[in-house]
């Protein structure tokens, strides 16, 4: 929808601005270290925290941008709708995860952050029915994933219980590790 498209563009813009600001911050820190008389290698080493943040921010921007660019390619509208929600979810989730950094460097307000939390919840709800199909698209068999969660019927707890009952760790009441490692420690006078 038009609303989603503007949100996507805003997220892209926020990620790009954040990436630029992090790069600028790293550059200022590096220049500051050099102007204090440090050699280039020493200044580089002293500036690592800023450089790492800048690299991460730029990498996140490239991921979001690459994902958004895929949406410009021809594809079925149903696929495009799901991918659109995924890119928006990912971009918003990353803003949410790095909210302190975004609040510090971008014109992100606590109110906007609340809107982002709400939109992330809404997108998760929208994507939930598609989750199994999205995972199935990778063609990984549940046995390979050793997943008790990978089914749409929602009977997760019964599967988890069965999986735990059949686990080799639960074949005996007390595992060998207890006798080998813990029993002596627990009986020792400390």
């Amino acid at each position: 929808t038009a609303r989603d498209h503007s949100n996507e563009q805003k997220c892209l813009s926020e990620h790009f601005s954040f990436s630029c600001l992090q790069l600028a911050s790293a550059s200022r820190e590096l220049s500051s270290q050099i102007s204090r008389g440090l050699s280039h290698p020493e200044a580089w080493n002293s500036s690592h925290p800023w450089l790492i943040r800048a690299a991460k921010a730029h990498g996140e921007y490239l991921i979001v941008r690459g994902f958004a660019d895929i949406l410009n390619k021809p594809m079925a509208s149903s696929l495009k709708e799901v991918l659109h929600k995924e890119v928006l979810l990912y971009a918003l989730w990353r803003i949410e995860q790095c909210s302190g950094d975004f609040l510090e460097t971008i014109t992100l307000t606590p109110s906007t952050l609340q809107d982002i939390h709400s939109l992330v919840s809404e997108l998760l709800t929208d994507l939930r029915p598609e989750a199994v199909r999205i995972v199935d698209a990778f063609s990984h068999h549940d046995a390979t994933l050793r997943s008790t969660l990978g089914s749409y019927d929602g009977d997760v707890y019964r599967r988890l219980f069965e999986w735990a009952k059949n686990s080799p760790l639960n074949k005996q009441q007390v595992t060998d590790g207890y006798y080998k490692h813990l029993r002596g420690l627990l009986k020792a006078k400390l």
Side-chain angles (χ1 to χ4, degrees), residues 45-60:
N45 285 338
S46 295
S47 302
H48 268 166
W50 288 269
L51 294 167
I52 289 168
R53 285 176 66 179
K56 285 181 177 180
H58 187 66
E60 288 293 336

Side-chain angles (χ1 to χ4, degrees), residues 105-122:
T105 57
I106 303 289
T107 56
L108 189 66
T109 65
S111 171
T112 307
L113 194 54
Q114 281 305 113
D115 292 342
I116 287 172
H117 294 317
S118 298
L119 194 50
V120 165
S121 293
E122 182 182 314

Side-chain angles (χ1 to χ4, degrees), residues 29-30 33-34 38-48 51:
E29 181 60 26
L30 190 58
Q33 297 292 338
I34 290 169
L38 292 178
S39 68
H40 283 277
E42 290 172 326
W44 186 264
N45 285 338
S46 295
S47 302
H48 268 166
L51 294 167

Side-chain angles (χ1 to χ4, degrees), residues 28-117:
R28 276 193 306 275
E29 181 60 26
L30 190 58
S31 295
S32 170
Q33 297 292 338
I34 290 169
S35 68
R36 288 187 195 140
L38 292 178
S39 68
H40 283 277
E42 290 172 326
W44 186 264
N45 285 338
S46 295
S47 302
H48 268 166
W50 288 269
L51 294 167
I52 289 168
R53 285 176 66 179
K56 285 181 177 180
H58 187 66
E60 288 293 336
Y61 167 71
L62 291 176
I63 289 169
V64 171
R65 179 67 205 206
F67 204 171
D69 285 347
I70 289 171
L71 295 174
N72 294 326
K73 296 185 177 183
M75 66 182 78
S77 62
S78 58
L79 176 61
K80 190 173 221 156
E81 183 181 335
V82 171
L83 289 178
H84 185 262
K85 288 178 183 178
E86 285 182 355
V87 69
L88 187 56
L89 175 63
Y90 181 78
L92 290 169
W93 176 73
R94 288 306 301 156
I95 290 172
E96 206 175 37
Q97 294 300 301
C98 303
S99 59
D101 292 335
F102 275 88
L103 285 167
E104 193 176 282
T105 57
I106 303 289
T107 56
L108 189 66
T109 65
S111 171
T112 307
L113 194 54
Q114 281 305 113
D115 292 342
I116 287 172
H117 294 317

Side-chain angles (χ1 to χ4, degrees), residues 139-156:
S139 297
H140 295 297
H141 192 275
D142 283 346
T144 305
L145 297 174
R146 295 188 49 113
S147 172
T148 57
L149 305 175
S151 62
Y152 191 72
D153 67 5
D155 201 4
V156 173

